[in-house]
């Protein structure tokens, strides 16, 4: 029997309770929402682990609002999360990358104070080949807490700095859940034999600078000259050996971001001539990942602005993303804006 590596045995439910203790005004609603969510994540993890044996691999006949082909596991995960989140009655509205419109919940007693937005299955192209995939989520309070009206699009279109909680699950070599309520970001590993998430990394800290860069370099031809210069720069050997950086790219944002926040370096999906706003979605992907990155001491920007300050205009809008170690992201931003001192001599 391998040694247990956790120092103290803290389950995710213990941790959520402890975090609630930091908010004397808390009523327990938020705790109940997070517990419902972890149930959905455990169910998805179970089915991902058996993928190939059950009937969850392959495509459906549908195309989603982003023009992407929908896979069975996208649909399944989307349904599981929605079903789990309706239970508590504390959620007034949900928005999912896989649904064209917002999903208003609890129509009869429409009084939930919170809303959840999510990417049910991130890394769709990796599902059928056994490569890491994930789920991303953000929880907000509704804009008007005294409202008797149904939850609305306005509730969903809040800037990321208003997130009450955010996180992701990673279905990789193990299932890992990282979440924050604004008091640091913490990682839990699912013990599948008992169905519990146990604390494995408390208060994750991202190194100030890293040695890895993560980007789909197949888009090089479509990038702006500034982005090309930045990537050329981090690949060019330097006398102090801090460069070249090593390249890592899984093609699942959650997995590439998770590695980046733990090892340091930079993950990016810049805009390009094919995708003028980049590929990732502000509401379902970038905001949650940015909150986690900041809670770990890192930075997340669109090349100029902090991601968390951007007010979304559309629930499905896309945004360029530069995320990771502070010094690396600042350097990428300097190149992006054509202000890096070495840029002129490259
Ligand atoms: P999703 O599977 O939720 O549609 O997201 C896929 C995203 C993201 O996970 C990843 O970073 C990116 O697509 C990869 O895109 P490329 O294949 O263009 O590199
Ligand atoms: Mn995604
Ligand atoms: Mn997805």
């Amino acid at each position: 029997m391998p040694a247990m590596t956790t120092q103290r045995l803290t389950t995710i439910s213990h941790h959520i309770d402890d975090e609630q203790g930091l908010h004397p005004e808390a009523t327990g609603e938020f705790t109940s929402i997070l517990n419902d969510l972890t149930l959905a994540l455990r169910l998805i993890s179970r089915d991902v682990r058996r993928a190939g044996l059950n009937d969850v691999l392959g495509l459906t006949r549908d195309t989603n609002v982003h023009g992407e082909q929908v896979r069975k596991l996208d649909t399944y995960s989307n349904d599981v999360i929605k079903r789990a989140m309706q239970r508590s009655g504390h959620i007034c509205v949900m928005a999912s990358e896989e649904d064209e419109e917002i999903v208003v919940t609890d129509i009869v007693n429409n009084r939930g104070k919170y809303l959840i937005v999510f990417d049910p299955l991130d890394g769709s192209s990796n599902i059928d080949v056994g490569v890491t995939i994930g789920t991303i989520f953000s929880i907000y309070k509704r804009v008007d807490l005294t409202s008797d009206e149904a939850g609305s699009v306005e509730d969903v279109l809040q800037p990321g700095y208003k997130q009450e909680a955010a996180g992701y699950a990673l279905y990789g070599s193990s299932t890992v859940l990282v979440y924050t309520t604004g008091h640091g970001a913490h990682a839990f590993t699912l013990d599948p034999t008992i169905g519990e998430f146990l604390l494995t990394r408390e208060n994750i800290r991202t190194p100030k600078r890293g040695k890895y860069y993560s980007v789909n370099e197949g888009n090089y031809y479509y990038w702006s000259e500034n982005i090309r210069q930045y990537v050329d720069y981090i690949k060019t050997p330097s006398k102090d050996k801090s460069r070249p950086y090593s390249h890592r790219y899984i093609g699942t944002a959650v997995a590439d971001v998770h590695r980046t926040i733990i090892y340091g370096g930079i993950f990016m999906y810049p805009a390009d001539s094919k995708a003028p706003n980049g590929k990732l979605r502000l509401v379902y992907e970038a905001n949650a990942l940015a909150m986690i990155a900041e809670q770990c001491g890192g930075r997340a920007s669109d090349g100029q602005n902090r991601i968390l300050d951007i007010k979304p205009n559309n629930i499905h809008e896309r945004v360029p993303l530069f995320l990771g170690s502070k010094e690396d992201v600042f350097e990428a931003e300097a190149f992006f804006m054509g202000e890096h001192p070495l840029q002129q001599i490259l």
Side-chain angles (χ1 to χ4, degrees):
M1 181 85 174
M4 188 82 183
T5 51
T6 46
Q7 291 178 330
R8 277 180 294 132
L9 276 180
T10 305
T11 65
I12 183 100
S13 316
H14 291 142
H15 203 271
I16 292 169
D17 285 347
D18 292 349
E19 293 263 303
Q20 188 186 321
L22 300 171
H23 299 271
E25 73 291 356
T27 56
E29 294 170 324
F30 188 59
T31 304
S32 142
I33 290 169
L34 284 173
N35 283 324
D36 290 344
L37 181 63
T38 58
L39 170 63
L41 300 177
R42 280 182 284 146
L43 287 167
I44 298 171
S45 175
R46 180 198 64 189
D47 286 293
V48 167
R49 296 290 166 218
R50 296 185 61 246
L53 301 171
N54 49 15
D55 187 28
V56 296
L57 295 186
L59 297 170
T60 65
R61 290 170 182 213
D62 300 329
T63 303
N64 70 13
V65 61
H66 309 276
E68 301 153 345
Q69 281 196 297
V70 179
R71 287 174 189 269
K72 287 185 194 166
L73 207 55
D74 289 319
T75 306
Y76 169 77
S77 310
N78 196 28
D79 289 346
V80 169
I81 296 176
K82 286 190 286 188
R83 281 168 56 211
M85 300 319 294
Q86 307 222 17
R87 198 199 64 90
S88 69
H90 302 314
I91 296 282
C92 62
V93 61
M94 304 190 250
S96 162
E97 182 193 271
E98 295 299 334
D99 290 316
E100 191 161 353
E101 309 284 347
I102 58 169
V103 179
V104 176
T105 51
D106 194 15
I107 311 247
V108 183
N109 307 298
N110 207 329
R111 309 297 168 255
K113 273 201 278 188
Y114 291 91
L115 57 128
I116 182 164
V117 300
F118 52 91
D119 175 357
L121 219 288
D122 179 56
S124 295
S125 69
N126 284 325
I127 294 175
D128 289 359
V129 288
V131 176
T132 302
I133 50 183
T135 297
I136 312 174
F137 61 90
S138 302
I139 296 169
Y140 296 80
K141 275 195 178 138
R142 66 179 306 175
V143 174
D144 178 0
L145 291 173
T146 61
S147 171
D148 279 346
E149 306 292 318
S152 71
V153 171
E154 287 316 308
D155 292 313
V156 174
L157 295 178
Q158 299 186 59
Y161 71 82
K162 300 251 184 189
Q163 289 170 104
E164 294 286 323
Y168 56 79
L170 194 72
Y171 315 109
S173 50
S174 55
T175 294
V176 175
L177 168 62
V178 175
Y179 94 109
T180 181
T181 59
H183 304 279
H186 317 289
F188 297 79
T189 303
L190 181 64
D191 182 332
T193 59
I194 57 166
E196 280 282 8
F197 281 105
L198 298 172
L199 182 62
T200 40
R201 278 179 197 266
E202 193 157 30
N203 206 10
I204 303 168
R205 303 313 294 162
T206 299
K208 282 203 173 66
R209 184 177 277 278
K211 285 278 287 178
Y212 291 114
Y213 76 103
S214 186
V215 65
N216 182 345
E217 215 161 337
N219 291 328
Y220 188 91
Y221 178 85
Y222 303 110
W223 291 339
S224 69
E225 187 53 26
N226 287 347
I227 299 292
R228 289 189 202 173
Q229 284 185 335
Y230 172 62
V231 172
D232 291 345
Y233 166 75
I234 50 179
K235 294 197 298 188
T236 307
S238 61
K239 280 202 184 114
D240 68 0
K241 304 226 169 19
S242 61
R243 290 179 282 124
Y245 281 30
S246 292
H247 182 245
R248 296 282 187 277
Y249 192 69
I250 296 166
T252 295
V254 172
D256 285 313
V257 165
H258 186 65
R259 184 195 54 252
T260 303
I261 64 165
I262 290 181
Y263 288 168
I266 187 161
F267 166 78
M268 49 189 174
Y269 209 114
D272 62 43
S273 57
K274 279 192 295 124
N277 296 312
K279 178 174 186 191
L280 300 176
R281 280 127 302 206
L282 175 59
V283 171
Y284 314 111
E285 296 171 315
N287 271 335
L289 300 175
M291 182 173 182
I292 296 284
E294 287 197 4
Q295 288 294 317
C296 298
R299 177 168 173 80
S301 91
D302 68 355
Q304 278 171 294
N305 313 296
R306 182 179 174 234
I307 291 288
L308 297 184
D309 286 335
I310 301 172
K311 163 91 175 81
N313 294 311
N314 177 306
I315 60 172
H316 294 300
E317 87 184 41
R318 296 175 193 264
V319 70
L321 180 63
F322 298 78
L323 177 153
S325 294
K326 258 192 180 154
E327 289 182 11
D328 287 305
V329 176
F330 280 133
E331 196 162 57
E333 288 174 316
F335 271 92
F336 178 79
M337 292 186 270
E339 291 168 0
H340 195 280
L342 292 178
Q343 216 154 352
Q344 311 316 325
I345 56 169
L346 281 171

